[in-house]
Amino acid sequence: MTSPKDPPAAVDYWTFVDHAATTLPKLHPGADVTANQVLLALNRTSALVTRHLESTVHRPHGNSWATYRILFVIWMHGPLTTNHLAHLSGTTKAGISNLTGPLVERGFLEKRPSPHDGRSRVLALTDAGHTHISEMFAEQNRAESRWSATLTPIERDLLLALLQKLNASEPAHEARSDPPH
């Protein structure tokens, strides 16, 4: 067993992907290094963008990335049962309960009985919720535009097509068949 060590000083959050690519074959010969780099880069970029949006757009308004996702999904889809909201937002049912309570208290969402199932509850935006998500989206979209302006229109289309291809893959279908708990 090796003792813990700090990576070389020149390795930072992003260059760690390259560091791992050169180190991994020594520790695990035969590893698919490119696959590892792709998913490390995808994960790190997603986390970086999410962290930036949350700290610059959502937290200053008392929101989180998770509450934004919930409001955005309802805004785009219309009233939803908690189960359907969990599915569309990629959130657990318990998470929906924890996240929507404060949004109801703040007057952004209302809970009402489902017209189709007396046991289910439907979540809908209030007028204040419509105003809030519209304002949050405008800010979020300005930040999204800044991030994606780094890419040419062709690169944006290519990246979107590649991400859609990953989302249509067998591993993605397997992951979706095991929803978050």
Side-chain angles (χ1 to χ4, degrees):
M1 184 165 164
T2 60
S3 61
K5 65 177 185 171
D6 289 334
V11 175
D12 63 17
Y13 182 80
W14 189 253
T15 59
F16 176 79
V17 174
D18 295 329
H19 175 75
T22 59
T23 305
L24 191 57
K26 299 171 196 163
L27 299 177
H28 198 291
D32 186 342
V33 175
T34 303
N36 181 261
Q37 283 182 290
V38 167
L39 293 189
L40 271 175
L42 182 62
N43 186 296
R44 284 175 175 252
T45 302
S46 176
L48 185 63
V49 170
T50 300
R51 191 169 52 243
H52 178 257
L53 294 173
E54 187 163 49
S55 67
T56 61
V57 176
H58 305 298
R59 288 283 178 212
H61 298 281
N63 296 318
S64 66
W65 176 250
T67 57
Y68 174 80
R69 277 193 338 258
I70 286 169
L71 292 171
F72 183 79
V73 167
I74 296 171
W75 188 43
M76 291 293 103
H77 186 279
L80 288 164
T81 63
T82 54
N83 286 345
H84 200 184
L85 178 58
H87 175 72
L88 292 180
S89 66
T91 307
T92 64
K93 292 174 192 172
I96 292 295
S97 179
N98 291 333
L99 293 165
T100 57
L103 293 171
V104 170
E105 289 173 14
R106 292 172 68 190
F108 297 148
L109 290 179
E110 65 179 4
K111 284 185 182 181
R112 53 186 182 225
S114 169
H116 308 293
D117 176 3
R119 296 173 298 157
S120 295
R121 308 288 283 166
V122 172
L123 292 159
L125 290 173
T126 62
D127 289 342
H130 275 281
T131 300
H132 183 71
I133 188 59
S134 180
E135 291 169 356
M136 288 295 88
F137 174 75
E139 236 178 287
Q140 164 108 5
N141 194 237
R142 283 190 294 276
E144 291 167 341
S145 293
R146 283 188 59 223
W147 276 94
S148 61
T150 304
L151 305 173
T152 67
I154 290 172
E155 289 170 333
R156 284 177 169 191
D157 291 344
L158 178 59
L159 179 59
L160 186 56
L162 293 171
L163 292 171
Q164 289 169 338
K165 187 173 184 175
L166 280 175
N167 278 310
S169 71
E170 186 177 332
H173 285 290
E174 290 169 4
R176 280 192 292 279
S177 69
D178 184 24
H181 303 298

